[in-house]
């Protein structure tokens, strides 16, 4: 299996780093991206920059229109709200015995499995800090947790193979029998990052003030209660404490936020990708595919999610120009936090 070429669909922050590291280690990698200028630059050499490591790696690359051939190992690394469309484009290039690894944020494994079956879908959790800067340039801001797992929790040869690959990027990467636990943990952490993106502040500076910590406590609690309703045991990472948020334990939540603030102060990626989508790239975020999905899950269980609903609405307001990013937006959550 290790001789099979690896198709990485989406060569942005996450996919670009994976592809560059895999290729540098001698693996055959084929990148796909919709930005033609980025494809051209990758062929000359993708520049990985930042404090973790800096190097340039030429990569085989195509746009979806020019790609040919089929691939057994496919890593999907597009934004969550582009998952269904990307799957439609990549499926003709998926070998009959092929599978797709979702290196994304959210519960996109559900969407992928709906297209090709759960047995051909592998879950993946990535938390390292990275930003797409411009065609041919990606910032690798900090190392952080990485995990892969089969959706049914089994340990398979293909999981061991993919784990070995991802370990080239993150030596402490985990092959897990509870990938859903990681994904739901990331959903909780991600809700907090969406809240920081309501402001112009860095992730750490937005999360740290005592006056608005109840906002993050409420958002984390809502997500963790949904996970419990789904029968999932979320896993913590890089400071996030699922049980502390689920139970609303003030001391544990304060400790978790302190740890997350400290973790994010150590990275060159000071702001979330959500912030960059809103403030820099001026494009739609993943809010519907991440937070909106959670609101829908809450409705199926009859669980109210007022903070998550407000978060969705405010992100939409910023996307559509009705609001500007401001620390004052966090104040609107406080009546929900009593």
């Amino acid at each position: 299996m290790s001789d099979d070429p690896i198709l990485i669909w989406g060569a942005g922050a996450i996919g670009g780093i994976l592809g560059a590291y895999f290729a540098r280690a001698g693996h055959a990698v084929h990148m796909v991206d919709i930005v033609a200028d980025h494809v051209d630059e990758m062929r000359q050499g993708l520049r990985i920059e930042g404090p973790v490591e800096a190097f340039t790696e030429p990569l085989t690359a195509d746009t979806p229109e020019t790609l040919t051939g089929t691939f057994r190992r496919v890593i999907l690394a597009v934004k969550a709200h582009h998952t269904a469309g990307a799957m439609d484009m990549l499926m003709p290039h998926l070998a009959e015995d092929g599978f797709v690894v979702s290196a994304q944020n959210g519960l996109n494994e559900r969407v992928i499995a709906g297209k090709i079956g759960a047995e051909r879908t592998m879950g993946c959790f990535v938390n390292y800090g990275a930003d797409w800067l411009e065609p041919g340039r990606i910032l690798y801001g900090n190392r952080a947790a990485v995990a892969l797992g089969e959706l049914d929790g089994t340990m398979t040869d293909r999981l061991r193979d993919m784990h070995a690959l991802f370990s080239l990027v993150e030596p402490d990467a985990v092959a897990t029998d509870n990938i859903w636990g990681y994904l739901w943990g990331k959903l909780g952490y991600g809700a907090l990052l969406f809240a920081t993106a309501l402001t112009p502040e860095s992730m750490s500076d937005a999360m740290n003030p005592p006056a608005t910590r109840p906002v993050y406590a409420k958002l984390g609690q809502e997500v963790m209660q949904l996970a419990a309703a789904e029968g999932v045991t979320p896993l913590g990472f890089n400071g996030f404490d699922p049980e502390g948020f689920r139970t609303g334990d003030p001391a544990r939540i304060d400790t978790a936020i302190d740890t997350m603030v400290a973790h994010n102060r150590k990275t060159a990626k000071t702001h979330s990708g959500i912030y960059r989508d809103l403030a820099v790239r001026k494009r739609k975020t993943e809010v519907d595919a991440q937070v909106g999905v959670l609101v829908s899950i809450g409705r199926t269980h009859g669980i109210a999610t007022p903070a998550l609903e407000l978060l969705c609405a405010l992100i939409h307001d910023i996307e559509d120009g009705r609001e500007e990013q401001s620390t004052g937006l966090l104040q609107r959550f406080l009546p929900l936090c009593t």
Side-chain angles (χ1 to χ4, degrees):
M1 182 182 292
S2 60
D3 293 332
D4 295 340
I6 307 150
L7 181 67
I8 299 181
W9 197 286
I14 300 302
I17 286 176
L18 293 174
Y21 270 82
F22 296 169
R24 188 178 65 166
H27 295 275
V29 176
H30 202 129
M31 310 296 290
V32 176
D33 201 86
I34 62 173
V35 180
D37 288 349
H38 189 44
V39 168
D40 292 339
E41 292 293 335
M42 284 190 289
R43 291 170 176 168
Q44 300 302 312
L46 178 60
R47 292 168 55 190
I48 304 300
E49 305 175 15
V52 175
E53 196 171 4
F55 64 96
T56 300
E57 186 67 30
L59 294 165
T60 302
D62 277 286
T63 63
E65 293 76 20
T66 62
L67 179 67
T68 60
T70 59
F71 301 81
R72 187 164 188 261
R73 299 183 294 176
V74 178
I75 297 171
L76 184 60
V78 301
K79 292 287 188 178
H81 50 300
H82 298 314
T83 299
M87 283 298 298
D88 289 340
M89 288 189 286
L90 76 78
M91 283 166 60
H93 301 285
L94 182 63
E96 290 186 6
D97 60 347
F99 61 96
V100 175
V101 181
S102 171
Q104 304 168 270
N105 291 320
L107 299 176
N108 303 293
E109 288 80 357
R110 293 182 174 191
V111 178
I112 297 168
K115 296 277 189 182
I116 59 174
E119 71 283 355
R120 302 181 71 189
T121 306
M122 185 181 295
C124 177
F125 159 92
V126 175
N127 198 48
Y128 57 75
D131 275 325
W132 187 94
L133 300 176
E134 64 180 19
R137 293 180 59 212
I138 291 174
L139 171 71
Y140 191 3
N142 68 290
R143 295 191 181 280
V146 173
L148 297 100
E150 298 285 6
L151 301 191
D152 63 1
T154 57
M155 303 301 290
T156 61
D157 288 340
R158 71 183 188 186
L159 173 56
R160 283 182 278 270
D161 171 67
M162 298 308 294
H163 173 250
L165 280 171
F166 277 69
S167 295
L168 296 169
V169 179
E170 175 46 61
D172 292 330
V174 174
T176 180
D177 61 0
N178 183 20
I179 191 61
W180 294 110
Y182 277 101
L183 296 176
W184 273 92
K186 184 66 181 289
L187 283 168
Y189 182 77
L192 275 55
L193 295 187
F194 269 97
T196 69
L198 294 173
T199 84
E201 305 295 332
S202 70
M203 291 180 284
S204 292
D205 287 344
M207 205 180 292
N208 195 36
T212 50
R213 284 196 176 197
V215 177
Y216 299 98
K218 177 66 172 176
L219 288 166
Q221 184 176 44
E222 286 187 1
V223 181
M224 293 302 95
Q225 288 176 342
L226 293 176
E230 287 280 292
V232 175
T233 302
L235 297 174
F237 59 93
N238 302 136
F240 186 77
D241 178 0
E243 186 64 10
F245 279 97
R246 186 188 70 80
T247 59
D249 184 319
R252 289 181 65 167
I253 291 173
D254 259 345
T255 298
I257 292 177
D258 285 342
T259 307
M260 288 184 282
V261 166
H263 173 78
N264 285 307
R265 290 211 189 279
K266 298 174 185 175
T267 175
K269 178 185 166 73
T270 57
H271 292 68
S272 70
I274 307 145
Y275 168 89
R276 283 183 59 82
D277 283 341
L278 293 171
V280 180
R281 304 190 73 181
K282 305 294 185 180
R283 66 181 187 180
K284 296 290 187 180
T285 71
E286 298 177 294
V287 68
D288 291 326
Q290 289 193 53
V291 183
V293 165
L294 293 172
V295 172
S296 297
I297 290 172
R299 288 173 182 154
T300 66
H301 290 288
I303 297 174
T305 55
L308 292 172
E309 290 181 30
L310 179 57
L311 180 60
C312 271
L314 290 175
I315 293 289
H316 286 150
D317 285 344
I318 296 171
E319 289 175 340
D320 297 336
R322 292 185 295 272
E323 295 280 2
E324 293 185 359
Q325 288 164 293
S326 165
T327 54
L329 294 180
L330 293 175
Q331 303 292 326
R332 301 191 191 180
F333 290 83
L334 292 177
L336 305 175
C337 300
T338 56

